[in-house]
Amino acid sequence: DYDENFINAGNAGMTDNPIVDRYGVLVDDTDSRRDPRIGYRIQLDRWDWPRRIKEEPSFYQYDLDIAGYIPFQNKKLVFAFNQFISSSRVKQEGTVNQEEWICGSAETAANPYCQSLANQIYERLLDESKKGKATSLGGRDRMRGYREQRFFDENTNYRALEFRWYVNETTVDFDFFVEKGIFTGFQLAAFFEQGTVAPDMGSQFWKNFKNSYGLASRFLFNSAIIRADFGFSDESSELTIWYGYPF
């Protein structure tokens, strides 16, 4: 701080090394884990998120990820689709002390706006202390036309279509101890996505979708995939350079 006192997570009231538990089941009936071109994949995960600070709740997060792949023209063209649903359930609510949000000093109490602002912050923290967070939308994997973690709430609904075209593929065969040849490829893709977040799984969970669409190029080298996705939305455009497919 300004007085040159070192503040770590512990004396700031945060958990220094929070332990997150993840349990899941994966059913994979595709031809490749890295570069699937035919089949389907279903994955169910449960995340156990602890609180980092006392105002935050601890909660479970459940993710259901369903993807399918349909090939055309001898697997040179692949139609990929994805349905992703995420939900959260609070284990223990956070603790928000209202006394910490009272303008007590003579200087701050004299300001007519001080307590009004403090009350707003207190009400927001109190509301958030009772809510879990599902997987967010926006960024490199879902709703690529928006910035990272643009949308989040207690529930998430996301669906996407992607058309992948393998423009060029080359295979060099050899057998050298652990290496059994080299595969390289170049792929172009077009995608369309829809997503929404909601406080519950009622009617709004299936309405009020935002759209994202764009073009992508992918470079494949053996089991490594480097992609550049350029997404558009009604707010902005985003360029994502990452490894692996979004789904």
Side-chain angles (χ1 to χ4, degrees), residues 2-125:
Y2 289 117
D3 296 325
E4 298 185 357
N5 298 312
F6 178 73
I7 299 176
N8 60 19
N11 58 37
M14 300 178 65
T15 302
D16 219 344
N17 293 296
I19 297 176
V20 181
D21 294 324
R22 178 189 181 190
Y23 304 91
V25 176
L26 171 64
V27 177
D28 191 335
D29 189 22
T30 62
D31 59 337
S32 171
R33 285 291 305 274
R34 294 290 186 179
D35 185 25
R37 304 196 192 191
I38 185 172
Y40 65 91
R41 181 182 296 156
I42 302 174
Q43 184 167 345
L44 176 64
D45 289 316
R46 190 193 80 168
W47 303 77
D48 187 351
W49 293 96
R51 66 175 61 180
R52 297 174 302 167
I53 57 177
K54 63 182 179 63
E55 290 83 4
E56 286 185 346
S58 58
F59 60 93
Y60 292 118
Q61 174 188 319
Y62 301 91
D63 292 344
L64 175 62
D65 195 352
I66 303 173
Y69 310 91
I70 302 174
F72 300 94
Q73 294 189 2
N74 198 25
K75 296 185 180 181
K76 295 297 183 181
L77 302 175
V78 175
F79 178 71
F81 61 88
N82 181 232
Q83 173 67 64
F84 178 86
I85 293 177
S86 180
S87 180
S88 61
R89 296 290 182 274
V90 172
K91 293 169 49 184
Q92 184 178 5
E93 295 182 359
T95 303
V96 183
N97 187 355
Q98 189 174 13
E99 295 180 356
E100 297 177 357
W101 298 97
I102 295 177
C103 297
S105 67
E107 181 179 353
T108 57
N111 188 330
Y113 299 104
C114 176
Q115 193 57 53
S116 175
L117 179 60
N119 290 341
Q120 293 180 33
I121 297 175
Y122 167 74
E123 292 295 336
R124 178 175 58 82
L125 292 175

